[in-house]
Amino acid sequence: MTRALLALGSNLGDRARYLQDAVALMPDLVAVSPVYETDPVGGPDGQGPYLNMVVRLDTELDAGELLDLSHRLEEKASRRRVVHWGPRTLDVDVLWLDGVTIDEPGLVVPHPRMADRPFVLAPLRDVAPDLVPEGWEDRFDHLGVHRLGVLDELSGH
């Protein structure tokens, strides 16, 4: 079994429902972070805030299989890839697999920007604190990250 970490985000429609549906379909799930509401980063102006979280799997799936899972979950949520970093019903990124390094077109593990994204680091700290650098909050002037609570308790977000 390998520890795998996936980041999930949504800023269109019933954001909490998209996250809940994706988490319900996760195999080998062992930990779910609280949900954070975050400012959008990059992409077009005028986007609404995201709900972000990180899940931990202890799995035998390899990185390619996890990427396939991510794409299936996004497809189930009717994700449309129209604008780079644009609004989305569901975004699922493979962040980390213990002992695995991959640099291929379409898949880089560890995720190349996870250490630069407070919307990833905050929930990652909840499920894999060993991967979050000490004092990471000091690197960001304005985090734009607000803890909302446990996914199962959210509705209408």
Side-chain angles (χ1 to χ4, degrees), residues 50-83:
Y50 279 81
L51 295 186
N52 289 102
M53 61 186 304
V54 172
V55 298
R56 175 183 166 185
L57 312 176
D58 284 349
T59 188
E60 293 183 12
L61 297 176
D62 65 26
E65 292 167 323
L66 289 168
L67 182 62
D68 290 343
L69 171 66
S70 298
H71 289 161
R72 285 194 310 275
L73 293 171
E74 291 172 348
E75 185 176 307
K76 184 167 177 40
S78 301
R79 167 143 184 212
R80 302 290 176 256
R81 296 176 188 272
V82 178
V83 177

Side-chain angles (χ1 to χ4, degrees), residues 41 111-121 133 136 139-140:
V41 174
H111 192 286
R113 292 174 300 283
M114 76 179 195
D116 298 323
R117 294 178 164 173
F119 61 86
V120 171
L121 292 170
W136 67 272
R139 294 192 354 239
F140 301 97

Side-chain angles (χ1 to χ4, degrees), residues 3 11 14 19 25 35-36 38-39 43 47 49 52 54 56 71 76 79 107 109 111 123 138-140 153 155:
R3 176 178 67 162
N11 79 331
D14 188 344
L19 296 177
L25 296 173
V35 176
Y36 292 80
T38 67
D39 296 336
Q47 290 190 65
N52 289 102
V54 172
R56 175 183 166 185
H71 289 161
K76 184 167 177 40
R79 167 143 184 212
L107 180 60
V109 177
H111 192 286
D138 299 335
R139 294 192 354 239
F140 301 97
E153 297 173 359
S155 63

Side-chain angles (χ1 to χ4, degrees), residues 76-157:
K76 184 167 177 40
S78 301
R79 167 143 184 212
R80 302 290 176 256
R81 296 176 188 272
V82 178
V83 177
H84 187 61
W85 290 343
R88 60 206 77 167
T89 56
L90 183 66
D91 185 40
V92 182
D93 289 329
V94 178
L95 295 177
W96 178 273
L97 281 92
D98 280 346
V100 175
T101 302
I102 298 174
D103 189 356
E104 299 175 355
L107 180 60
V108 179
V109 177
H111 192 286
R113 292 174 300 283
M114 76 179 195
D116 298 323
R117 294 178 164 173
F119 61 86
V120 171
L121 292 170
L124 183 62
R125 175 186 55 203
D126 294 311
V127 296
D130 60 304
L131 299 179
V132 178
E134 190 74 32
W136 67 272
E137 301 98 329
D138 299 335
R139 294 192 354 239
F140 301 97
D141 291 337
H142 173 67
L143 292 179
V145 175
H146 310 283
R147 184 179 174 142
L148 290 182
V150 178
L151 180 61
D152 290 341
E153 297 173 359
L154 299 180
S155 63
H157 280 276

